Amino acid sequence: MLPPRLPLAVETRAVTAPDGTRITYYATRSPYPGAPVVMLANGLGGQHITWSAQIEHLRGRYRFLTWDYRGLFASARPPEGTPASYAIPRHAEDLLAILDAEGETRAALVGWSMGVQVVLEAYRKARSRARCIVLLNGTSGRPLDTVSPLPGMKTVLPSLVELAGRAHALASQVTRRAADVPEALAWLKAMGVMNESLDDAVFNELVQGFSALDMEAYFHNLRALGDHDASDVLGTIDVPTLIVSGDRDAMTPAALAKEMAKQIPGAELYVVRGGTHYTAVEFPELVSLRLEKFLAKAAPGAGGTSNE
């Protein structure tokens, strides 16, 4: 059994986005003056603890920033309260607002799942802010179209999301009860949704956070994600890019990662054998080492080692 993980050494801060939304974000201390910044864009429903292994592995060389998406966890709902206020371009504006608040002109942009779309949209808006890009278990366009291999689900899923969004109070109750079921991880592993290597303690930490979500805001974000397409950005990327996928990812299959790699000039592709949509927490050492190798070339830092 793995030893219990210590809490991440992060500072909690806040910034006001251009539309007035109060965004809570998290920052690690700079390991030395001028250390390169890595901006982490979460998956939908994910928190900064998702990246614990990568942050711990690289904290001696990089400074990390990440945030709670609008309406989720510690970030406020948008004051407008309209579906458009949760659109992916708004999340990209939040990312840029954090960089501005921290006085950072450039960063390595790393996105997982929904974060892939956010990173691509941020690049569209301000390509000069990206030192390099890492896209992990995601797709460039309309994720709900790829979430299931079953025939007809591409048409049905948006309607199911809409229905669930209307019943957000019930969804909240179901989510909280599911989080208290000790056999949940075993079921997910048995169904192939998650790899057997995922540590129970890590899963419990993640699911407990998810159970506290504002489900109405969650479904607003999910609908916005389903409507978004940044495929046209791929061919315009001219910074070093790494794409990471798992060969058992049923939500954003590895074939999508391979297609993105073809469209992004010079992109590197790394497919983790056995990895599902949660590759970064299933195989933390593999992903951390591959990220370290990529960043050493694309966003090199002076002084310090990755394990300090």
Side-chain angles (χ1 to χ4, degrees):
M1 177 180 292
L2 295 175
R5 295 189 305 169
L6 296 175
L8 283 179
V10 298
E11 297 178 1
T12 302
R13 303 175 183 176
V15 66
T16 301
D19 68 348
T21 304
R22 191 72 169 167
I23 300 296
T24 296
Y25 68 97
Y26 308 91
T28 64
R29 293 185 178 182
S30 182
Y32 56 89
V37 173
V38 177
M39 173 64 81
L40 302 170
N42 297 310
L44 180 56
Q47 297 176 276
H48 65 278
I49 57 173
T50 305
W51 305 96
S52 296
Q54 289 72 46
I55 292 175
E56 286 298 329
H57 185 82
L58 295 164
R59 64 186 174 88
R61 191 172 296 177
Y62 300 95
R63 179 169 179 251
F64 289 89
L65 298 171
T66 187
W67 77 104
D68 293 335
Y69 288 139
R70 45 182 52 209
L72 303 182
F73 301 110
S75 286
R77 287 190 181 195
E80 298 173 13
T82 63
S85 61
Y86 292 90
I88 299 299
R90 295 293 181 91
H91 293 289
E93 291 170 0
D94 297 342
L95 181 159
L96 297 172
I98 294 168
L99 289 180
D100 290 341
E102 291 293 312
E104 301 290 351
T105 57
R106 303 180 73 201
L109 304 183
V110 181
W112 170 56
S113 193
M114 172 174 162
V116 168
Q117 302 262 334
V118 175
V119 163
L120 291 175
E121 197 61 42
Y123 184 83
R124 185 204 302 276
K125 288 179 174 293
R127 63 176 60 196
S128 64
R129 309 295 293 269
R131 296 187 66 165
C132 59
I133 290 175
V134 179
L135 308 176
L136 172 66
N137 289 109
T139 179
S140 59
R142 301 184 67 86
L144 295 185
D145 289 356
T146 63
V147 74
S148 173
L150 298 177
M153 289 304 288
K154 177 178 178 179
T155 302
V156 173
L157 270 173
S159 298
L160 294 178
V161 169
E162 182 68 26
L163 178 61
R166 293 176 181 174
H168 55 84
L170 176 60
S172 296
Q173 295 178 20
V174 171
T175 302
R176 292 188 179 98
R177 290 179 181 177
D180 294 330
V181 177
E183 299 85 3
L185 180 57
W187 293 342
L188 292 171
K189 288 180 177 180
M191 292 187 293
V193 176
M194 292 181 173
N195 189 277
E196 292 78 5
S197 64
L198 181 61
D199 182 69
D200 287 22
V202 174
F203 174 79
N204 290 334
E205 192 175 30
L206 298 176
V207 79
Q208 288 301 324
F210 189 84
S211 68
L213 279 176
D214 177 340
M215 295 306 293
E216 184 175 14
Y218 176 87
F219 283 111
H220 279 311
N221 278 301
L222 182 56
R223 284 194 292 269
L225 176 61
D227 290 337
H228 187 256
D229 193 335
S231 298
D232 61 308
V233 176
L234 300 180
T236 71
I237 296 175
D238 61 0
V239 296
T241 301
L242 170 66
I243 300 173
V244 180
S245 181
D247 67 357
R248 288 175 52 192
D249 186 345
M251 298 180 70
T252 50
L256 297 175
K258 294 176 182 178
E259 183 59 32
M260 287 194 295
K262 290 180 181 179
Q263 295 187 44
I264 299 174
E268 301 177 31
L269 176 64
Y270 181 53
V271 179
V272 178
R273 185 175 181 180
T276 72
H277 197 61
Y278 307 93
T279 302
V281 292
E282 293 167 336
F283 300 94
E285 292 183 357
L286 284 179
V287 173
S288 296
L289 288 170
R290 188 64 185 86
L291 186 59
E292 178 183 22
K293 179 180 178 181
F294 174 74
L295 292 177
K297 296 185 299 179
T305 63
S306 62
N307 294 317
E308 288 183 348

